[in-house]
Each structure stands twice: as structure tokens, then as C-alpha cells.
Amino acid sequence: MASPMIPPTPRPHRSIAGPVVLILMGILFLLGTMGIMDIHHLGSLFARFWPALLILWGVLKLIEYEQAKRYGQPARGIGVGGVFLMLFLIGAGLIATQASRLDWKNLGEHIQFGDDENLNEIFGGSTFNYSDELSHEIPAGGTLHVNDDRGTITINVADFKTNDKTIKVSVRKKVRAEKQADADSYNSKTKPQITVADKVVTLNGNTQGAGDKGVTTDMDIYVPANTALVITTGRGDVTVAGMAGSVEVNHHRGEVNINDHTGNVSLNLDGSSVRLAQVKGDVTIQGKANEVAVEDVDGEVHLNGEFQESVRLVRISKTVSFHSARTEMEFSRLDGRLDLDSGDLRADSMIGPMRLTTRSKDVALEGLSGDLRLEDSNGTVEVGLRKPGNIQIDNRKGDVQVSIPPNTAVKIEARTRQGEISSDFDEIKVDNHDKESSASGSIGVNGPRLAMNCEKGSIEIRKGTVAVAAPPAPPAPPAMPAKPGKPAKALPAPKATPVESEN
């Protein structure tokens, strides 16, 4: 009797997990090489989302396993090729993630390949110095545009004996080359140029005239004081002193110094630092900045962007506005000083109405006058009042301390959850409980309202010693036409918001 035939074991289907992952990676890199997607953006996406490829691989393998189980077939394993592909993904992903966390801009600031004599010796070549002089007439009411990819720019007021409307330029150039003949050739191809179109005079440093040959062009520029300026530079410091026209600076990597300036100032920055002093016009700073210091400004100051290190403001006569990813701030005047960094905001002698919204930052305001609307989270708040208006302070997680000067009338309402309230004033009734505490009362008669709310933190109401005196104002500037300022709007009277219990 013939034995029954045993059916052959079905062969497992080939895995599609590896090919699918390779196809996705190939499509992304193809988009990068074709210019459809920026290669730097592609690298950033890979550095952030590469674990998603492993998750996709695992999901596909799980689907294959369930299909093989349903049809009674053996499931195929990862295999040697799959192991190597997985190790490659993990290794490349970890390297890309760590590389994306490096501050490449800051690293580039400290590695000046074109100007380092030691690197010149390592990679070959020497530095050759050249100088030049240029001059050209500026039309009446003309604007000067200065373009210099690499080099310092210094703007000075021309000291002409006659009413001469002329731009004069002193050029100092450094050229890196293997030999003198090459340097001479690069120098002749990178001569600075002055062109005139209508009322626009353009001074071009022309550092790229010979290609990327390591040419640095420093320019000292002498122009009439009332000349309007538009300066664009790639790397190098910019200094403007004693000018009266408006100035716009588009700057990348370096420092901008402007002082004793009568006109408006507009700065568009990318990894630069700023020092402004004695400016009679308005100041606008936007983009990505490192250290910012602004002192003695008669006009408005507007800051909008990302500020990596610190911001210092001293004596600003008109409205100040500040906008960044973590902080929104606006107030009417600053008679003292304000310092802001990644973890703290400290200021004295501020004039409201003031609005401040921030997070993960300790706030200390001393000598505050006028209205205040303040919102914070994950930080402490300390406010010393001088001549208070309506005050509203909301702190999501952190303590609040308010100091009230002697003989100051104010009506207080305070509530906190998971914290206590303490007061130096007998007029304030304090009711502390485990889940919620509150305080209310009036000091004096017909005072403004002071409302404080905390979710997690204590509230302290303290007696101030002596009212903080504002620092003396700088000498009044000479009489000059000025556009009328906009009156500041007063904030509405705040109300203490009841704290809701947890669900």
C-alpha cells in the first residue's frame, strides 16, 4: 500500500519591509538632488524623524507575520541584509541628530578660515595687503547703498571745508593667494565699484569679483551727515557715528555699532550683536541676534525676533515693544534699565501701561508706575510698585511678591491654589486653606485695583520702604521737528479670576 504523499512546505514570501524603507529614502534623496527639496531641510527632517523608518519597518514585519500565520506559512525573519540596513539607519540617525544639535553658526564665528594665518600655512597660501581710494558725487537727497560680503564698514561724517556732496572711500583689502602674481590678479578683479542710478549711489565691495578667493575688503566711508544709508554685509563689523539720516543695516555675523545718531535705525540681523547709543529717532531690530544693548533713545524701540544671549535697554523715552518665541512685552517708557536673558527679566523705573506675557522666566520689576498686565508660568514674579495703576498678575506655576510703597491707596484681591497668602497690611483679610487661599481688602481710599492669581505658588503682599525714585533724565535734546506720538491706552481695571478646582 503506497504511503500518502506529504504536501511540500510552502515557501515564505519575500519580505517587503526593507524595500519599502529603501524606496522611501530613495524618493527623499531624489527630491534633494533634483532641487525640489532643500538638501539642508532634508537632513533636518532625517535627523528628527529617522525613528519613524524603524517604526514603519516594524509595522510591515508585523503585517507580514500575521499574513503568514493566516495562510499557514512560516514567517520570514529580518535576515542579514535587514540587520545591516537597520544598523545603518540607527547609526546614521544618531549621527544626524547630534549634528543637528550643534550651534553651527556659533562654531563658524570662531573658525575664521579666510583670515587665520596659521590655516593659511596649513592649506597653503599667504595674505597680501592692498589699499585704494574712491570718490564720487552724491546727488541732492540721495541714498547710499553699501554692499560688502566680507569686511568691516565704518561710516563717518565727512569734514569738508566747503558744502561738498561727495562720498570718499578708503579701502583696505586682504587677499589670500599662493603667490604675488595670483594676488595681484585677484586684487584687480575685486576693485570696489561706485555706481549711480537716479538718486541711489551704490558702493559695492566686490569681494566675489574673482570668485571665492578669500578676499576681505574693509572700507572707511566719509559722507555728508544727512545721507540716508542702506548697508548690506555678510561678515564683518559695521560702525556708524554722528549721522543724521535714516540708516538700514542688513547684517550677518558680526557686530553693529551705531552712536550719536539723529535719524531712524532699522536692523535686520542674522547671528549678529548690536550696540546702539544716543539715538534720537526710532529703533527697529528684527531677526536673530546675539547680544543687544540699546541706550538713550529718544524715539520708540521695537524688537522682534529671536535673541540668543541677552538684551539690555537703558533710558528709552517712548514706547518699547518686544516680541520673541517666549516673551511678548510692551510698555510706554523706560527711565531706568531692563535686562533680559534666557531665564530672567529684570527692570527698574518702567512706566506703564505695560503688558508682559512670558514663560519659564523669573520676572523682577522695581519702581513700576502705571498699569500692568502680567502673565508668567514656571517662574517667580516680584513687583515693586512706585505709583501703581491697575495691576493684574497671573502666574501659572511660581510665587508672586508685590511691594506697595507707603501712603499708597490700592484695592487688593488675591487667590492661589496649592499655596498660601501672607500680608504685611492689617487691612487685608487673608483666608488660607489647603486647596485654595484668598485675600481681599483696601488700603486707603479710591485706589486702583491689584489682582493676583496663582495656580501653584504663594503670594506675598509686602510693605515697601521708600518709593523708588526714578534716575535723573538725560539733558533735553535740541529742538527739532518730531512726528506726534500716539497716546498710550490705559488698561481696563483687572479682576481677580476665581481658581477652578482640579477635575
Side-chain angles (χ1 to χ4, degrees), residues 11-25:
R11 297 179 61 186
H13 294 289
R14 290 183 175 274
S15 174
I16 64 170
V20 168
V21 172
L22 287 175
I23 289 172
L24 288 177
M25 293 178 61

Side-chain angles (χ1 to χ4, degrees), residues 324-386:
S324 71
R326 290 174 53 189
T327 302
E328 299 282 333
M329 175 173 53
E330 184 173 350
F331 53 91
S332 296
R333 195 173 82 230
L334 177 65
D335 292 341
R337 168 173 158 173
L338 180 147
D339 288 285
L340 182 147
D341 57 30
S342 60
D344 297 277
L345 191 160
R346 300 184 177 275
D348 65 86
S349 303
M350 302 178 74
I351 310 298
M354 176 181 182
R355 289 180 173 88
L356 171 60
T357 302
T358 189
R359 57 185 173 86
S360 302
K361 196 181 296 292
D362 294 334
V363 177
L365 308 178
E366 189 65 36
L368 175 71
S369 299
D371 296 348
L372 170 66
R373 181 67 55 86
L374 190 156
E375 297 180 16
D376 194 7
S377 60
N378 300 319
T380 62
V381 174
E382 299 178 7
V383 178
L385 302 177
R386 182 170 178 260

Side-chain angles (χ1 to χ4, degrees), residues 136-139 143 167 194-203:
H136 201 286
E137 184 179 355
I138 297 180
T143 301
I167 173 178
I194 297 178
T195 58
V196 180
D198 195 11
K199 291 188 176 183
V200 176
V201 179
T202 301
L203 170 60

Side-chain angles (χ1 to χ4, degrees), residues 269-341:
L269 307 177
D270 185 6
S272 305
S273 295
V274 177
R275 296 184 183 277
L276 304 181
Q278 304 294 335
V279 178
K280 299 188 184 303
D282 296 337
V283 173
T284 301
I285 302 174
Q286 57 187 1
K288 296 181 180 179
N290 294 328
E291 182 180 354
V292 175
V294 180
E295 182 173 347
D296 291 323
V297 177
D298 290 349
E300 298 181 353
V301 173
H302 304 281
L303 297 96
N304 186 1
E306 298 303 320
F307 303 91
Q308 305 297 326
E309 295 180 10
S310 64
V311 174
R312 174 176 296 174
L313 306 177
V314 182
R315 292 184 295 276
I316 312 298
S317 298
K318 293 184 180 180
T319 301
V320 175
S321 64
F322 180 95
H323 302 277
S324 71
R326 290 174 53 189
T327 302
E328 299 282 333
M329 175 173 53
E330 184 173 350
F331 53 91
S332 296
R333 195 173 82 230
L334 177 65
D335 292 341
R337 168 173 158 173
L338 180 147
D339 288 285
L340 182 147
D341 57 30

Side-chain angles (χ1 to χ4, degrees), residues 166-491:
T166 305
I167 173 178
K168 295 185 178 180
V169 185
S170 176
V171 179
R172 302 180 307 280
K173 186 187 299 183
K174 293 181 180 179
V175 178
R176 183 162 55 87
E178 293 285 344
K179 53 187 178 180
Q180 182 72 54
D182 292 339
D184 292 343
S185 174
Y186 301 155
N187 174 55
S188 63
K189 295 177 181 179
T190 57
K191 294 282 188 180
Q193 302 168 348
I194 297 178
T195 58
V196 180
D198 195 11
K199 291 188 176 183
V200 176
V201 179
T202 301
L203 170 60
N204 186 3
N206 195 28
T207 57
Q208 300 296 319
D212 189 9
K213 299 298 183 181
V215 177
T216 301
T217 300
D218 300 335
M219 294 187 290
D220 292 334
I221 305 168
Y222 299 86
V223 292
N226 60 351
T227 305
L229 302 171
V230 178
I231 301 172
T232 303
T233 178
R235 183 167 70 185
D237 296 343
V238 173
T239 300
V240 179
M243 296 294 292
S246 63
V247 57
E248 176 184 340
V249 180
N250 305 292
H251 193 264
H252 173 64
R253 295 171 64 181
E255 185 171 294
V256 178
N257 292 274
I258 300 177
N259 61 83
D260 192 20
H261 189 80
T262 302
N264 296 331
V265 176
S266 177
L267 307 180
N268 303 295
L269 307 177
D270 185 6
S272 305
S273 295
V274 177
R275 296 184 183 277
L276 304 181
Q278 304 294 335
V279 178
K280 299 188 184 303
D282 296 337
V283 173
T284 301
I285 302 174
Q286 57 187 1
K288 296 181 180 179
N290 294 328
E291 182 180 354
V292 175
V294 180
E295 182 173 347
D296 291 323
V297 177
D298 290 349
E300 298 181 353
V301 173
H302 304 281
L303 297 96
N304 186 1
E306 298 303 320
F307 303 91
Q308 305 297 326
E309 295 180 10
S310 64
V311 174
R312 174 176 296 174
L313 306 177
V314 182
R315 292 184 295 276
I316 312 298
S317 298
K318 293 184 180 180
T319 301
V320 175
S321 64
F322 180 95
H323 302 277
S324 71
R326 290 174 53 189
T327 302
E328 299 282 333
M329 175 173 53
E330 184 173 350
F331 53 91
S332 296
R333 195 173 82 230
L334 177 65
D335 292 341
R337 168 173 158 173
L338 180 147
D339 288 285
L340 182 147
D341 57 30
S342 60
D344 297 277
L345 191 160
R346 300 184 177 275
D348 65 86
S349 303
M350 302 178 74
I351 310 298
M354 176 181 182
R355 289 180 173 88
L356 171 60
T357 302
T358 189
R359 57 185 173 86
S360 302
K361 196 181 296 292
D362 294 334
V363 177
L365 308 178
E366 189 65 36
L368 175 71
S369 299
D371 296 348
L372 170 66
R373 181 67 55 86
L374 190 156
E375 297 180 16
D376 194 7
S377 60
N378 300 319
T380 62
V381 174
E382 299 178 7
V383 178
L385 302 177
R386 182 170 178 260
K387 292 182 179 180
N390 294 315
I391 309 292
Q392 173 84 46
I393 300 174
D394 298 301
N395 198 6
R396 185 171 179 270
K397 186 177 180 181
D399 299 335
V400 173
Q401 183 185 96
V402 176
S403 299
I404 302 172
N407 304 319
T408 300
V410 63
K411 184 177 181 179
I412 295 176
E413 295 182 15
R415 286 184 173 85
T416 182
R417 184 174 61 192
Q418 300 183 20
E420 293 186 349
I421 299 177
S422 59
S423 172
D424 293 342
F425 297 90
D426 296 335
E427 299 92 333
I428 306 302
K429 181 182 177 181
V430 178
D431 190 8
N432 285 320
H433 295 281
D434 292 339
K435 293 185 177 180
E436 180 177 324
S437 300
S438 62
S440 62
S442 296
I443 304 171
V445 180
N446 297 327
R449 298 179 64 114
L450 168 58
M452 294 167 284
N453 297 292
C454 286
E455 289 190 15
K456 296 180 181 179
S458 63
I459 296 177
E460 298 181 8
I461 306 169
R462 300 300 178 204
K463 290 183 178 180
T465 53
V466 180
V468 177
M480 57 179 294
K483 61 181 181 180
K486 297 180 180 179
K489 295 182 179 179
L491 296 177

